Amino acid sequence: MKHIFVINPVAGKKDSTGVIKEAVSNKFNSEDCVIYVTKKPLDAWRFVRDYAAAHPDESLRFYACGGDGTLNEVVNGAVGFQNAAVGCYPSGSGNDFLKYFGKKKDFLDLDALVDGEIVDIDLLRFSDRYVVNILNIGFDADVVSKMIKYKRLPLVTGKGAYHLGVIVSLLSKMTHKFKITLDGEPFYEGDGLLCAIANGICYGGGYYCAPEAKVDDGKLDICFVRSLSRPRFIRLIKYYKNGTHLATPKVARYILYKKGAEVVIESPEPVNYAIDGEMGASKRIAIKVEPKAMRFIVPKGLKKGANA
């Protein structure tokens, strides 16, 4: 078995390359592991794909050393290779996908991670790319585009950068026009604030938009928030953050939430979206679930789906 650590040096607040290399070298003999430091966006995707293709007869475990964006790239590189599994040795500002299973510190236990259990998880397919955690569109994606600018500021954490993005976005146009279908049936048409298409349960440094999501149920979760005033939004956002929005009547009246297999979102103008924190913009998004598409490594001793 070969253990391959893919390090994103620009993930998080500081470069963790040296710390990760030291931890890995203390754990493995050089012939048992590979360390690769990415050089640019999408480099992790390319490296993992090429490495897996070049070693078809070897059992491979890839570890994404970064945030949700790095994990997304590593998964996209490894998907389709039956001899490959993916884990995460987190060094990003959010690492939200891991919160489905436990805490960041659980995945930083290198011994437990390397000896971890492999479980099959769903992925979401969007165009030629897979989504590991969440695709969000609208206001929240507008926030993410601003968060990217703020998260490198001194003393600003990943959560703090997200909060700053929310405040600035509140001063801008908040709503967009949407036409949404779920499994070929009308779901919503009109103005709305945001929409999250989820495999995992949270994003944005800990906003639990999809508390009912399961990563292995063969379904995606759609959480759509209707238009509401700024004062009301400010009063209600805490429920969206802590995942109680579906169980709180004064909030739930503004939310449509359902499970399905395929979602199509259309808008007359390009709308910002984020795929596991990576930005884009489009007038049309079609996304569907790919059941049990990836083998994921859960640290030894960590209950499978601890938060599920």
Side-chain angles (χ1 to χ4, degrees):
M1 181 184 296
K2 185 77 74 173
H3 299 270
I4 305 104
F5 292 80
V6 183
I7 303 173
N8 180 358
V10 299
K13 292 292 295 181
K14 61 181 180 180
D15 185 356
S16 300
T17 301
V19 173
I20 297 171
K21 283 184 173 180
E22 181 178 4
V24 172
S25 64
N26 288 337
K27 172 69 178 175
F28 294 101
N29 296 320
S30 58
E31 63 270 18
D32 296 328
C33 73
V34 172
I35 295 176
Y36 182 78
V37 181
T38 62
K39 303 173 179 64
K40 58 185 178 180
L42 303 184
D43 191 30
W45 188 343
R46 177 204 60 78
F47 168 77
V48 171
R49 179 197 63 210
D50 292 350
Y51 192 97
H55 300 80
D57 299 321
E58 191 169 4
S59 179
L60 306 175
R61 288 195 174 195
F62 293 96
Y63 303 92
C65 305
D68 288 311
T70 307
L71 178 60
N72 179 281
E73 286 197 33
V74 172
V75 165
N76 273 274
V79 70
F81 293 96
Q82 297 303 312
N83 61 324
V86 172
C88 183
Y89 190 60
S91 60
S93 56
N95 294 109
D96 288 306
F97 181 70
L98 305 185
K99 293 168 185 172
Y100 179 85
F101 297 95
K103 300 182 183 299
K104 183 176 180 178
K105 66 179 182 180
D106 297 320
F107 286 79
L108 286 173
D109 183 339
L110 189 55
D111 290 335
L113 180 62
V114 168
D115 294 332
E117 176 189 2
I118 294 178
V119 300
D120 293 326
I121 65 169
D122 303 334
L123 297 175
L124 307 182
R125 182 69 180 264
F126 169 54
S127 186
D128 61 349
R129 186 167 186 171
Y130 288 92
V131 181
V132 181
N133 190 36
I134 288 172
L135 183 149
N136 54 291
I137 183 170
F139 178 83
D140 237 8
D142 297 337
V143 170
V144 172
S145 70
K146 295 176 176 62
M147 179 189 74
I148 292 171
K149 301 176 184 178
Y150 301 143
K151 69 179 180 179
R152 295 241 173 224
L153 294 176
L155 304 179
V156 178
T157 65
K159 291 183 180 179
Y162 192 86
H163 294 324
L164 283 173
V166 168
I167 292 169
V168 175
S169 296
L170 282 170
L171 303 177
S172 308
K173 183 179 182 293
M174 292 176 56
T175 61
H176 302 273
K177 292 187 179 298
F178 296 103
K179 180 180 179 182
I180 304 174
T181 59
L182 176 64
D183 296 339
E185 299 293 331
F187 180 79
Y188 182 83
E189 185 169 0
D191 289 344
L193 186 68
L194 63 91
C195 186
I197 312 299
N199 186 37
I201 56 176
C202 70
Y203 63 150
Y207 280 71
Y208 287 78
C209 65
E212 298 180 2
K214 308 288 185 183
V215 301
D216 57 359
D217 64 353
K219 299 288 185 180
L220 54 78
D221 288 44
I222 178 170
C223 180
F224 181 84
V225 181
R226 303 173 188 265
S227 297
L228 65 168
S229 68
R230 285 177 175 84
R232 182 170 283 115
F233 175 73
I234 292 170
R235 290 196 300 270
L236 301 184
I237 192 172
K238 64 181 180 181
Y239 300 98
Y240 186 77
K241 184 181 190 305
N242 63 28
T244 59
H245 49 296
L246 303 181
T248 306
K250 66 180 179 181
V251 186
R253 61 184 292 198
Y254 297 103
I255 292 172
L256 298 175
Y257 190 103
K258 198 171 183 180
K259 290 179 179 286
E262 185 171 3
V263 172
V264 177
I265 304 173
E266 296 174 297
S267 182
E269 300 293 335
V271 181
N272 281 331
Y273 65 80
I275 299 175
D276 297 338
E278 302 299 319
M279 296 301 302
S282 181
K283 292 182 179 180
R284 185 179 189 274
I285 288 175
I287 185 168
K288 64 180 181 178
V289 68
E290 296 283 352
K292 308 295 179 63
M294 176 52 55
R295 301 167 71 229
F296 187 72
I297 305 166
V298 179
K300 184 178 181 180
L302 187 63
K303 182 180 178 182
K304 178 184 175 183
N307 293 321

